[in-house]
Amino acid sequence: MSLAYVQAAEYVSEPVNKDPPSREAQILTLKNTSEFDVLVIGGGATGCGCALDAVTRGLKTALVERDDFSSGTSSRSTKLIHGGVRYLQKAIMKFDVEQYRMVKEALHERANLLEIAPHLSAPLPIMLPVYKWWQLPYYWVGIKLYDLVAGSNCLKSSYILSKSRALEHFPMLQKDRLVGAIVYYDGQHNDARMNLAIALTAARYGAATANYMEVLSLLKKKDPKTGKERVSGARCRDVLTGQEFDVRAKCVINATGPFTDAVRQMDDKEAATICQPSAGVHIVMPGYYSPESMGLLDPATSDGRVIFFLPWQKMTIAGTTDTPTDITHHPIPSEEDINFILNEVRNYLSHDVEVRRGDVLAAWSGIRPLVTDPKSANTQSISRNHVVDISESGLITIAGGKWTTYRSMAEDTINAAVKAHNLKAGPSRTVGLFLQGGRDWSPTLYIRLVQDYGLESEVAQHLASTYGDKAFEVAKMASVTGKRWPIVGVRLVSEFPYIEAEVKYGIKEYACTAVDMISRRTRLAFLNVQAAEEALPRIVELMGRELNWNESKKQEELETAKKFLYYEMGYKSRSEQLTDNSEISLLPSDIDRYKKRFHKFDTDQKGFITTVDVQRALESINIQMDENTLHEILNEVDLNKNGQVELNEFLQLMSAIQKGRVSGSRLAILLKTAEENLERRVPIPVDRSCGGL
């Protein structure tokens, strides 16, 4: 697929830096530059897009972000690059020209993004199951119009599937009353890595970009012509060192998403609020809940929302919700929202598939910065598109919009900045401009990684699809395993293809904390909170070695990252499925069965199981396990944390497993396996063996 329009990127000179400068070098540039043309506040997709658009036009550009790049909404999306099928439906039903233009623009941007970052994005077929005959032609016309509006940017043509073919593609689909299905194509990407690629590309082209750089206040000076005060920069503080300094600029751009109003009110305390935040929760479930390369769209949930059910990073992502929320740096997914999504998933999956609460491996909440246009007469109406606002003092605010259209939002913003501040710059040059890692990527690049470095195929594919043509730099840093195969590439956790070398490389990509590493440089926290927690000690150790952390700093990083997993990534909701006041809801026959199992391992009739009991049971079936792992296994079930599992705790566990609130309990599976193996070893009596001939 190639874009059917002029590649503006052809007119952009080569990047000034082969690799992005270090964070320390970027901070020196921020300090020592007398005046930038543009200072962007906010390191999400839109802010980084603004920095890239400005610097490639030849403007002296700076960007500061209070937290990490993509730490907010931009890393917590549905991971789709899409035009918006439902927006097109509204545009047609209501003859809404604005909605139509928004879809048209988004489809154009979808094609561009798939081209400039092919390693991080790809087309994804999405199935729309149909359960009523009359809906088949209705949805078919709508989806075909979606293809038609995309025009030359259509990824692949949509098509209809019969009931049998739909079940062939999506075997776990609810088949009762199923009439057929329609399949259409949108794009999917790794959102946090895409955001980071935009930031790194801007840095390579010469933008001074710094994460963990907080804006304390806006600087102002009087315009000699008008006598009015104009925004002329910002007072910044390095969050990591506490150092403060001024960054001066002809133009300041507010691209802070949900925090839009906070910056606007730094400029003008009386400025009316325009942001109406909405929380969108997503959950991640095991990959077996969806086919490897087919998504699902529920166009009308029980309360009218749209739910996506998509394969992502070999897992399944489901969401999203849409509820009003307060603005916070640390949004937390609620149990109510998690259960809402699970219930909707149950409606669409076969009764053969038990949708268990315990299968939610991670959950997060992202805040959508929906906005009202401050220039609009009707201030209550939320703008469906983005809004570019220029205050009396010259502060430019870009708000609203969506991930897919970040580039066109940035173009509109810089166009407004050039005009309002008389900056000398040409037209936007970001259409067709490859992002970091995209230029020399190919679908077969991973094979060279396997052949040249001796990486596992799965690891090589992961590196190629994460770093693109920069994957070779990561491979060069990979540690020797000491095994016959793979030769290099020590994994952080066994079930995911992330390797230790990515931690070292992540620091080159401006990672400053353990949270940066588990959530945005790798995506472990978004895929499996328990795996992320398991990898944390090693990640902290590696980062500490590279960044010269003392023991106190390492412990602080570990605790902060665990707190992040517990609250923001759904670990709290997951752990609360089994507590010391969980009710036991089992049939009498089940209680007897589980009591017998428990007493088989509590051979001393103490009334509880210890690590010694579990070790003895495992040795009976020739399984060896180190003491630390045994303590971990017991600790998951030891609700009162007294170092042992009582009968009541064991019954609470088995009840939670039966109800689907808990899954993958190592203790329950080990005891069941040991019991089954012991039963097989019971000698057969002579009278049951044909007389023992």
Side-chain angles (χ1 to χ4, degrees):
M1 179 191 72
S2 63
L3 298 174
Y5 42 79
V6 176
Q7 303 282 330
E10 290 175 6
Y11 301 101
V12 178
S13 58
E14 285 298 304
V16 295
N17 303 303
K18 181 178 180 291
D19 293 306
S22 68
R23 183 175 181 273
E24 291 71 23
Q26 297 284 42
I27 289 171
L28 279 174
T29 304
L30 287 171
K31 281 184 189 173
N32 298 334
T33 302
S34 57
E35 187 180 50
F36 288 95
D37 292 317
V38 171
L39 167 62
V40 181
I41 305 172
T46 306
C48 291
C50 287
L52 181 58
D53 192 284
V55 76
T56 51
R57 295 191 196 202
L59 294 170
K60 197 181 291 184
T61 305
L63 179 144
V64 292
E65 160 60 45
R66 173 174 46 192
D67 204 304
D68 184 28
F69 302 114
S70 197
S71 58
T73 310
S74 296
S75 63
R76 303 173 190 233
S77 73
T78 312
K79 323 301 178 198
L80 284 177
I81 311 169
H82 63 122
V85 172
R86 59 200 170 113
Y87 295 128
L88 182 62
Q89 181 191 20
K90 289 177 185 175
I92 294 166
M93 300 293 283
K94 297 180 180 179
F95 299 101
D96 191 326
V97 176
E98 184 193 344
Q99 290 265 29
Y100 173 79
R101 284 179 184 152
M102 186 176 72
V103 174
K104 185 82 174 168
E105 176 187 57
L107 289 169
H108 173 276
E109 293 302 322
R110 179 187 71 176
N112 182 63
L113 198 47
L114 287 166
E115 183 163 293
I116 64 177
H119 57 305
L120 291 169
S121 60
L124 175 73
I126 299 174
M127 181 184 290
L128 199 161
V130 179
Y131 289 92
K132 294 176 182 174
W133 279 108
W134 68 265
Q135 289 179 332
L136 203 58
Y138 173 75
Y139 286 137
W140 171 242
V141 170
I143 295 296
K144 271 300 165 191
L145 280 171
Y146 191 59
D147 290 351
L148 194 64
V149 172
S152 60
N153 295 323
C154 180
L155 302 180
K156 290 183 183 179
S157 188
S158 55
Y159 55 90
I160 289 181
L161 289 174
S162 65
K163 177 179 177 176
S164 59
R165 291 284 288 159
L167 292 170
E168 207 175 294
H169 284 282
F170 211 118
M172 54 288 292
L173 196 62
Q174 166 70 267
K175 51 179 167 267
D176 297 344
R177 306 186 321 279
L178 182 68
V179 172
I182 299 165
V183 176
Y184 73 97
Y185 286 80
D186 258 329
Q188 189 179 48
H189 69 153
N190 186 338
D191 54 0
R193 293 292 319 181
M194 186 73 82
N195 192 156
L196 187 63
I198 302 165
L200 293 169
T201 307
R204 287 182 61 214
Y205 275 97
T209 59
N211 55 351
Y212 293 99
M213 189 63 64
E214 181 181 14
V215 170
L216 300 175
S217 61
L218 296 177
L219 305 176
K220 291 190 177 182
K221 67 179 181 183
K222 277 194 176 178
D223 186 331
K225 292 179 182 176
T226 63
K228 290 182 179 179
E229 284 205 323
R230 303 283 288 173
V231 173
S232 60
R235 179 74 176 172
C236 298
R237 181 177 74 91
D238 185 339
V239 174
L240 303 181
T241 65
Q243 190 178 31
E244 294 182 18
F245 56 89
D246 291 340
V247 179
R248 299 200 172 271
K250 294 171 186 172
C251 168
V252 176
I253 293 170
N254 171 18
T256 53
F259 304 97
T260 293
D261 289 325
V263 177
R264 291 178 77 245
Q265 287 167 356
M266 279 184 188
D267 172 39
D268 175 9
K269 289 179 182 176
E270 304 302 316
T273 57
I274 62 170
C275 187
Q276 298 187 19
S278 167
V281 170
H282 293 83
I283 63 173
V284 166
M285 304 174 79
Y288 55 70
Y289 272 96
S290 64
E292 200 172 313
S293 56
M294 178 72 78
L296 185 76
L297 166 65
D298 177 355
T301 62
S302 55
D303 68 351
R305 307 180 208 177
V306 170
I307 289 273
F308 285 100
F309 192 63
L310 312 165
W312 184 68
Q313 303 282 303
K314 299 192 175 176
M315 294 296 191
T316 301
I317 184 172
T320 179
T321 60
D322 185 8
T323 49
T325 185
D326 293 326
I327 294 171
T328 172
H329 290 288
H330 307 289
I332 298 170
S334 72
E335 186 63 23
E336 184 185 353
D337 283 331
I338 291 170
N339 283 320
F340 167 78
I341 296 170
L342 285 173
N343 286 332
E344 293 305 323
V345 168
R346 286 187 187 100
N347 291 338
Y348 271 82
L349 294 191
S350 167
H351 299 307
D352 297 340
V353 180
E354 184 189 353
V355 179
R356 304 180 296 182
R357 173 61 183 83
D359 282 341
V360 177
L361 305 174
W364 66 87
S365 176
I367 301 177
R368 292 190 203 88
L370 304 175
V371 293
T372 53
D373 189 340
K375 302 286 192 293
S376 171
N378 178 11
T379 55
Q380 295 306 306
S381 61
I382 295 177
S383 172
R384 291 176 293 265
N385 214 325
H386 60 271
V387 170
V388 179
D389 177 59
I390 305 172
S391 74
E392 285 189 17
S393 59
L395 174 70
I396 294 181
T397 295
I398 170 67
K402 59 183 189 173
W403 223 122
T404 307
T405 57
Y406 85 90
R407 193 213 62 82
S408 61
M409 290 165 66
E411 180 180 340
D412 289 351
T413 306
I414 302 304
N415 284 344
V418 167
K419 186 176 178 182
H421 293 271
N422 298 314
L423 304 176
K424 292 180 180 176
S428 175
R429 292 173 175 173
T430 50
V431 170
L433 179 70
F434 279 105
L435 298 181
Q436 168 107 338
R439 183 176 292 279
D440 296 320
W441 175 86
S442 74
T444 56
L445 182 144
Y446 79 95
I447 297 172
R448 287 171 54 201
L449 291 170
V450 175
Q451 293 174 337
D452 295 354
Y453 294 95
L455 287 159
E456 288 175 86
S457 183
E458 185 188 11
V459 170
Q461 287 175 0
H462 154 67
L463 294 182
S465 65
T466 302
Y467 304 95
D469 58 31
K470 299 291 179 186
F472 297 99
E473 294 180 22
V474 185
K476 285 172 190 172
M477 295 180 172
S479 306
V480 175
T481 63
K483 301 175 185 175
R484 183 187 63 78
W485 190 264
I487 298 167
V488 301
V490 178
R491 293 192 183 212
L492 288 167
V493 280
S494 58
E495 70 265 44
F496 288 95
Y498 298 108
I499 59 173
E500 291 183 355
E502 292 180 78
V503 178
K504 297 177 192 174
Y505 191 77
I507 292 166
K508 290 179 68 174
E509 295 182 321
Y510 305 131
C512 300
T513 70
V515 171
D516 297 345
M517 202 64 73
I518 61 173
S519 58
R520 293 173 287 274
R521 301 311 178 281
T522 71
R523 306 309 308 273
L524 259 178
F526 282 78
L527 295 170
N528 188 318
V529 285
Q530 287 184 301
E533 185 184 44
E534 188 183 319
L536 264 177
R538 184 58 179 156
I539 287 172
V540 168
E541 190 61 39
L542 291 166
M543 290 189 79
R545 200 181 299 166
E546 296 293 316
L547 297 171
N548 299 316
W549 290 345
N550 58 27
E551 288 306 314
S552 172
K553 174 64 175 170
K554 287 181 190 175
Q555 193 58 37
E556 181 190 330
E557 284 293 322
L558 202 58
E559 292 306 315
T560 302
K562 284 183 177 179
K563 189 176 176 183
F564 168 79
L565 291 173
Y566 189 71
Y567 290 106
E568 294 184 54
M569 288 291 115
Y571 213 153
K572 181 175 185 288
S573 290
R574 183 179 174 86
S575 62
E576 285 176 349
Q577 299 308 307
L578 184 63
T579 63
D580 53 9
N581 58 7
S582 295
E583 64 176 47
I584 298 171
S585 178
L586 293 168
L587 294 171
S589 57
D590 288 332
I591 290 176
D592 289 342
R593 180 158 55 97
Y594 293 135
K595 276 183 177 178
K596 284 176 185 173
R597 181 177 298 173
F598 181 86
H599 291 308
K600 274 186 183 175
F601 301 102
D602 175 23
T603 51
D604 304 327
Q605 303 300 305
K606 305 179 297 297
F608 57 82
I609 293 173
T610 65
T611 53
V612 174
D613 296 314
V614 178
Q615 184 71 67
R616 191 187 301 144
L618 294 177
E619 284 174 356
S620 70
I621 55 173
N622 299 318
I623 294 175
Q624 295 294 323
M625 201 168 283
D626 67 83
E627 196 171 336
N628 285 339
T629 306
L630 282 171
H631 277 295
E632 278 178 25
I633 290 170
L634 233 68
N635 194 50
E636 291 172 359
V637 187
D638 178 15
L639 304 176
N640 57 13
K641 304 303 175 194
N642 63 354
Q644 56 201 32
V645 175
E646 283 96 5
L647 174 60
N648 200 57
E649 289 173 326
F650 183 68
L651 292 176
Q652 283 174 308
L653 170 66
M654 300 315 294
S655 178
I657 288 171
Q658 271 202 15
K659 296 295 178 187
R661 296 197 307 273
V662 170
S663 63
S665 166
R666 291 184 283 180
L667 182 68
I669 291 170
L670 284 174
L671 294 189
K672 183 183 179 185
T673 305
E675 182 185 46
E676 288 170 351
N677 277 276
L678 287 170
E679 284 173 354
R680 287 194 199 106
R681 295 186 182 190
V682 174
I684 301 172
V686 172
D687 61 347
R688 288 184 56 203
S689 59
C690 302
L693 294 173

